[in-house]
Amino acid sequence: MTIVTVLGFTAATLTSLSFFPQAIKVIKTRDTKSISLIMYSMFTLGVFLWLLYGFFSNSMPVLIANIVTLIPATVVLILKIKEGNKN
Amino acid sequence: MTIVTVLGFTAATLTSLSFFPQAIKVIKTRDTKSISLIMYSMFTLGVFLWLLYGFFSNSMPVLIANIVTLIPATVVLILKIKEGNKN
C-alpha cells in the first residue's frame, strides 16, 4: 500500500465519519438553527448520487464511504426539517 | 460521456458546492451554536488530505473538487472557533 493510498483512505475516513459528531450533537440538543437546510439538502442528494456512482462503477470504497456518510447526513437533514429554526 | 460519469460529476458538484450556503449563513448570522466543531475539524482536515491525494495521484477532478470545498469548510471552521457557542 503506497503513501498516496494511505492518504486517500485517511481522507475518506475523516470526511465520512465527520458527520457523525454533527448528527449526535443535533440529536442531543435538537438545535439546528445555525445549520443550513440548503447545504444538507444539496449534500445529502450529492452523497446519494456518489453512492449510485460507486455502485454502477463497481467502486467499493466510493460505495461504502457514501453509505456511511448518508446515514448521519440524512439524520441532520430530517432534524433540520423537523426542528427548523427553533432555539 | 456515459450516464455514470454524468452521475459522478453531478454528485461532485452537489457535495462540493453544498458548503457554500452554510458558509454564507454563518458569515451573515455569526451563529455557529448548533454546528459541531469536531465535525468541521475532521472534515476540513479530510478535505485537505483529499486535495493532497488528488495532487499526488494526478487526479484533477479530486484536486479541484476539494480545493472548492476547502474554502467554505475553512470559513465555517474559523468562525466556529471564533464565535464558539454564542447566540
Side-chain angles (χ1 to χ4, degrees), chain A residues 4 7-8 10-12 15 18-19 21-22 25 31-36 39-40 42-43 46-47 49-50 52-53, chain B residues 4 7-8 10-12 14-15 18-19 21-22 25 31-36 39-40 42-43 46 49-50 52-53:
Chain A
V4 175
L7 205 56
T10 312
T15 47
S18 66
F19 284 83
Q22 181 66 76
K25 183 178 171 93
D31 173 11
T32 61
K33 191 164 169 253
S34 42
I35 287 171
S36 163
M39 168 183 161
Y40 274 85
M42 285 173 71
F43 186 79
V47 165
L49 295 185
W50 270 125
L52 292 183
Y53 175 81
Chain B
V4 175
L7 206 57
T10 313
L14 280 168
T15 47
S18 65
F19 283 82
Q22 181 66 77
K25 182 177 172 99
D31 172 10
T32 61
K33 192 166 166 244
S34 43
I35 288 172
S36 163
M39 168 184 160
Y40 273 85
M42 286 173 69
F43 186 80
L49 295 184
W50 270 126
L52 292 182
Y53 175 81

